[in-house]
Amino acid sequence: MNILNIAIYFSVLLFLITVFSKIIKIIKAPLHLRWELYPVPHEKGKAHYGGSRLEEVDWWTKPMQHDVLGDWKIMLPEIIFLKAVWEHNKSLWWGTFPFHFALYMLFTNVVLCIIAALMNLGGNTVLNQTGGFDTLMYWLIQYIVWVGSALGVLGAVKLFSSRLFVPGLRKFSAASHYFNIILIGGIYLTAFIWSVTDISFMNNLIGIYTGLITLNSIPELPFIAYLDVWLIVLFLAYLPFTHMTHFFVKYFTYHKIRWEDSPNVSGSKMQAEISSLLNQPVSWSAPHIGADGRKTWVAIASAAPEKIKK
Amino acid sequence: MKRKVYNEVIYDEQTPLLNVPELVDNKTSNTVCFKSKAKDMEPINLPTERVPDWQNKAVELFGEMLDKYKGLRLFMDSCVRCGSCSDKCHYFLGTGDPKNMPVSRQELMRSVYRKYFTMQGKIFKNSKDCVAFDDNILKDWFTYFYQCSECRRCCVFCPQGIDTAEVTMAAREIMARLGVGTKYVTEVVHKVYTTGNNLGIWAPAWIDNCKFLEEELIEETGLKIPLPVDVNGAEVLLVPPSADNFVNTNTMLGYAKMFYAAGVSWTTSTFCNEGGNFGMFLNYHNYKTINNRILKAARDLNVKYILWGECGHAWRAGYMTRTLSGSMDFLTVKYPKHVCQFTNEMIKKGAFKLDKTANDHLKVTYHDPCNVARATTGMLEPPRDIIRATCNNFKEMHPDTTREKTFCCGGGGGMLADELMSMRMAGSKPRCMAVKATGANYLATPCAICKANFGESLKFWDTGAVVGGVHDLLSNALILNH
């Protein structure tokens, strides 16, 4: 194993551990205040006009009508095509869509390359191109790299120039945005150059995955390939500490906050959870709250303010 | 010029309905709320002056809130600054100040978050993106977080689902606990604890107003229609906005006639004659404490259930009662209920005789208060159903400005202060332009704050319309039995 192997393992591990620990932290955080934002797409018969079952008289006596596909009808176009940006900031979409779609394509390629490496280890290398599944895999991987990285480069250029030259966007673009675009754009660019200049590109690419799976050193690579892989290592180690965590945070902002409309009905698990939160001792530091570490939220909030009591 | 037609109204795309204004840096940086006074801060359990070591205290409070409020942490972490929200805020559309773009408003808090709670802040301590909590940033917080009406419109358009309202609430919470509040909001909260309502109407005056309104009703209908106060054992406790008793009295008359016609006994409480909850615009502690008063009034008067009156943020707080104040199981109706739901239910049951022609002099359009529509319970149809049942001339506004996309009136979120008049008028522009385009002469809305701001802004923007409640229309159309 060489240093690049170790760096790749380290970055993947760091990525996974950090992302999962953040997810666990979010899940363990106290229940979010109960105020969903309408329309909630899984409200059957209501979402299409923005209303809710709470419009109904005595809604708590009626069964909750759930449209199981409702959330997906919104989320799939949103995740795949970034629909909200298309609708609300179209000029940015022309950059951000190819930029993100390229990421999806290259992630798909990671999965395909792992399959190809396993086939390789099983003695059926895609490099043989016998005209069957191996040939399909070979060209699929090749084309995805070409198209994905080219799309990514175009997206990065468009995004970078939009952030730089559109006054409204430049106002709230930070240095980290430019850095992220350059970093990810650099990954796309080096991948594209590598794929079109290296005559052993597929051999090298599958070789990297085979080496990583078997804990062996990865093959000797051209300089541009090393640059690409090192940029990916940096990206994986860096991503969980940035706002790019939106790729999983978005699940929680939508499903656990914005659309979380489970009713707080009598005898429900939620009511029990809220009661336990209301009965927590308050330890907030501001003296005016009057918290002594023993009084509960209910006790403190139910008490009239000191001055009035007098 | 591109034009589109909606409801037979032709809209120029160049009309100032939704046009993005030119950016003018710091245009509203001097439109600042008056600072709170010690006489109001002390009784509502807030520090009367900036607490010692306030910079570090602010960071400590911020950290506490990140652990307690799931939403806040997610919102701090996930903005990609795509700009989808930037032209959705009515205050930005009205003023052009880039700090009124929701993304920039959030950035005032996120830049502090980055400084103290992220790897970036630890490595690049002097980066422009990581801002220390000092006098300058506190001034910006005080200015721009009190130029947000917490209407949640921007969140509807955010691809990441970020809610600026919660960011604003968190910033205001931190400021309040440092001893930094606005005169208007803290004064109102103080009044609730002393008089029971936002307007500071003492109990005798409340009772007197009710008697006066009863006399009005006798004069108008020849009937003794009661406006009961502190009646033990009544079926319904009505918690209206106190403005309905004092300013928007036609709405109050509408409630009274409605209960009379429905044959339902009701009462208001002099302990808690206010649905509005300005705690929501200040800090969570007062938010909860004020909300608890409603349940106490219901217990004291032994009512069967509570109805919230025509007030947007009252309903947002009221709907949260089971979360803020615990169980409502001592009531027959164990869940919050809005007066529009109740009235609509009665209309559908055929409980009322209605003469729609009584409102024929009105061309009515409807404004969805943010807190009744998208921000709580998605209640869009019940008020519309009441209007349809009581009026012949009802026309919707442009769909980009109604329902979940409705614009704030410009005065919500604790911004109804006199010193913010220019912001209120600017923020009201998108809504008023949409009203004007319908040619309506009556803007119906079930919200006291909307009524207060539109009272000025509909004139300011020369719309030719007046504002009123939904129950005002019912009041006109109800045929009462002698």
Side-chain angles (χ1 to χ4, degrees), chain B residues 262-380:
Chain B
V264 172
S265 67
W266 66 291
T267 185
T268 54
S269 153
T270 49
F271 171 74
C272 178
N273 38 20
E274 179 63 66
N277 186 335
F278 269 49
M280 201 167 90
F281 309 144
L282 182 63
N283 71 333
Y284 286 108
H285 176 67
N286 279 296
Y287 181 22
K288 288 165 73 82
T289 312
I290 290 172
N291 200 70
N292 286 349
R293 296 170 62 86
I294 295 175
L295 288 193
K296 180 171 167 20
R299 273 199 182 90
D300 290 350
L301 291 173
N302 294 306
V303 296
K304 288 188 180 155
Y305 55 102
I306 307 168
L307 286 182
W308 272 262
E310 288 194 8
C311 178
H313 78 283
W315 182 231
R316 181 153 152 199
Y319 163 66
M320 296 275 293
T321 296
R322 292 172 60 89
T323 299
L324 293 170
S325 308
S327 172
M328 294 172 72
D329 288 354
F330 65 96
L331 297 162
T332 311
V333 177
K334 300 174 174 60
Y335 297 86
K337 200 165 179 176
H338 194 278
V339 69
C340 285
Q341 285 175 311
F342 180 83
T343 302
N344 193 31
E345 177 188 7
M346 289 294 162
I347 290 173
K348 286 190 172 155
K349 276 184 184 167
F352 305 138
K353 280 185 201 160
L354 296 166
D355 173 17
K356 289 164 88 164
T357 59
N359 285 315
D360 272 358
H361 59 296
L362 300 174
K363 291 180 203 159
V364 180
T365 190
Y366 177 69
H367 165 71
D368 289 283
C370 356
N371 286 319
V372 175
R374 68 175 156 259
T376 323
T377 67
M379 192 160 56
L380 308 177

Side-chain angles (χ1 to χ4, degrees), chain A residues 126-139:
Chain A
V126 299
L127 300 168
N128 287 342
Q129 294 190 66
T130 59
F133 183 66
D134 48 11
T135 308
L136 177 72
M137 285 288 285
Y138 182 94
W139 286 108

Side-chain angles (χ1 to χ4, degrees), chain A residues 22 25-39 46-47 49-60 75 78 84-89 92 96 100 163 167-169 171-177 241-247 249-250 252-254 256-258 261-268 270-271 274-275 278 280-290 297-298 300-308 310, chain B residues 23 25 42-47 51 57 60-61 64 67-75 77-84 86-88 98 101 103-104 107 114 118-120 127-129 152 155-163 166 169 173 176-177 190 193-194 280 283-290 292 316 319-320 322-327 329 333-337 341-342 345 373-382 403-404:
Chain A
K22 285 199 171 192
K25 195 169 181 180
I26 294 167
I27 292 170
K28 283 189 168 173
L31 189 74
H32 184 256
L33 214 51
R34 314 289 310 130
W35 48 34
E36 58 276 9
L37 186 74
Y38 289 90
K46 295 286 184 181
Y49 71 88
S52 89
R53 72 180 190 290
L54 302 174
E55 289 180 311
E56 304 283 334
V57 174
D58 302 339
W59 56 266
W60 54 91
M75 286 318 289
E78 176 55 35
V85 183
W86 168 258
E87 284 173 351
H88 308 308
N89 196 356
L92 192 76
T96 196
H100 283 88
R163 289 214 175 266
L169 208 54
K171 280 272 174 218
F172 48 78
S173 294
S176 58
H177 288 94
F241 302 99
T242 68
H243 67 259
M244 289 186 280
T245 48
H246 69 80
F247 78 90
V249 165
K250 193 168 180 166
F252 294 99
T253 52
Y254 271 80
K256 295 295 164 195
I257 294 181
R258 185 169 165 168
D261 64 342
S262 320
N264 171 13
V265 291
S266 296
S268 66
M270 183 172 294
Q271 193 190 31
I274 287 170
S275 299
L278 285 172
Q280 276 187 342
V282 180
S283 58
W284 282 8
S285 49
H288 68 273
I289 292 284
W297 244 123
V298 170
I300 290 174
S302 307
E306 287 304 314
K307 187 83 174 179
I308 308 298
K310 287 169 198 169
Chain B
L23 302 184
D25 281 335
E42 195 192 352
I44 62 174
N45 279 349
L46 289 173
V51 296
K57 198 76 186 168
E60 192 187 317
L61 290 170
E64 267 183 38
D67 288 339
K68 283 183 192 294
Y69 301 121
K70 186 181 276 191
L72 182 64
R73 181 173 286 279
L74 295 176
F75 300 154
D77 271 338
S78 57
C79 178
V80 295
R81 294 189 243 187
C82 67
S84 295
S86 57
D87 56 353
K88 305 302 185 292
M101 292 175 178
V103 56
S104 306
E107 184 59 18
R114 259 186 237 112
T118 68
M119 189 75 89
Q120 188 187 351
S127 156
K128 195 170 71 142
D129 299 337
R152 307 183 80 192
C155 185
V156 171
F157 301 93
C158 175
Q160 307 300 332
I162 298 169
D163 189 353
E166 282 205 55
M169 290 169 87
E173 167 91 40
R177 290 165 70 181
H190 183 192
Y193 294 133
T194 47
M280 201 167 90
N283 71 333
Y284 286 108
H285 176 67
N286 279 296
Y287 181 22
K288 288 165 73 82
T289 312
I290 290 172
N292 286 349
R316 181 153 152 199
Y319 163 66
M320 296 275 293
R322 292 172 60 89
T323 299
L324 293 170
S325 308
S327 172
D329 288 354
V333 177
K334 300 174 174 60
Y335 297 86
K337 200 165 179 176
Q341 285 175 311
F342 180 83
E345 177 188 7
R374 68 175 156 259
T376 323
T377 67
M379 192 160 56
L380 308 177
E381 288 306 316
R403 299 177 178 266
E404 77 271 18

